[in-house]
Amino acid sequence: MSSHATLENRLRRIAVAAACVPPAVLLHELGHWVGNTLAGLPDTTIHYASTGFRDQPAFWTALRAGDLALAETMGSVTGAGIGAFLGIAMSWLLMMTGAWFVRRTAFQTVAAAMVLASAVRFVPVGIMFSRGVAQHTDEAHVAQAFSAPMLLPALVLFGIGLAVACIITMIRRLPVEGRRGAVADLVVGVVLGTVAWLNVVGPALLP
């Protein structure tokens, strides 16, 4: 294969990986939105990298302060907890599904990219958790809604562990020949896609 063809294939793989970031992010947010909507939370919205409902900041502030009664006046606490969990669960599902479909040649690049695009959220979550500042994460919202502080470390550690397991599985299922280059291209594509979606494309399309 010529160097031009090889470069073209690598650029295509990077582009495909970058293009997988928006669906991964939006499906995560869709999980939140569905849960919030089914729970009857008022004025639910979905944005490029977040979901919301009326009085949401005040709602979570009240819960963190332990004022359950005040939070309930703004929406269902249980419903908000389920909504927060459904977003996390969607990312888990995307990682596992991607790791499974990597073995299918026709979906290989897309499946592998979805694993990384969904797993990337667990990096900042893990960093914030290790620094003790994870109170605004989805995992913390689940713990706050169900008054179960231990859910925070349990969800964070499970998510990180699952991400690592799915990434390892994904890498092992890629063809041995050219595996390092493929992984490098996927990482570059997901990083570029994440930066572009969160800073430029997402805010322009779905503010």
Side-chain angles (χ1 to χ4, degrees):
M1 181 180 293
S2 68
S3 59
H4 175 75
T6 301
L7 177 60
E8 184 177 326
N9 288 338
R10 297 196 68 177
L11 290 175
R12 184 182 298 112
R13 189 158 50 207
I14 289 171
V16 170
C20 286
V21 172
V25 174
L26 290 176
L27 285 170
H28 172 92
E29 299 305 333
L30 183 63
H32 291 318
W33 182 84
V34 168
N36 292 345
T37 300
L38 292 178
L41 295 173
D43 300 333
T44 55
T45 57
I46 184 168
H47 308 284
Y48 69 95
S50 66
T51 53
F53 54 89
R54 190 197 317 148
D55 298 324
Q56 178 175 273
F59 175 90
W60 292 113
T61 297
L63 270 187
R64 283 192 291 274
D67 195 339
L68 179 62
L70 177 59
E72 283 285 4
T73 65
M74 293 178 269
S76 168
V77 171
T78 300
I82 294 173
F85 176 74
L86 287 180
I88 301 170
M90 181 62 78
S91 290
W92 293 350
L93 179 62
L94 289 173
M95 290 191 297
M96 291 186 291
T97 303
W100 173 262
F101 276 101
V102 168
R103 67 177 69 193
R104 307 291 182 89
T105 304
F107 304 103
Q108 196 167 83
T109 299
V110 171
M114 289 302 287
V115 174
L116 294 178
S118 300
V120 72
R121 77 167 293 274
F122 295 100
V123 175
V125 168
I127 293 173
M128 287 187 285
F129 176 71
S130 67
R131 293 180 176 177
V133 291
Q135 65 270 24
H136 299 293
T137 62
D138 295 336
E139 288 80 359
H141 286 165
V142 176
Q144 293 157 11
F146 291 101
S147 301
M150 289 308 296
L151 275 177
L152 172 57
L155 290 172
V156 170
L157 295 177
F158 179 82
I160 292 173
L162 182 62
V164 171
C166 288
I167 290 171
I168 291 174
T169 300
M170 176 269 288
I171 292 174
R172 287 180 174 176
R173 288 179 172 175
L174 290 173
V176 175
E177 184 178 355
R179 179 183 288 169
R180 290 185 180 180
V183 172
D185 294 344
L186 290 167
V187 170
V188 170
V190 168
V191 170
L192 292 177
T194 300
V195 172
W197 179 253
L198 295 182
N199 294 282
V200 181
V201 182
L205 296 180
L206 197 62

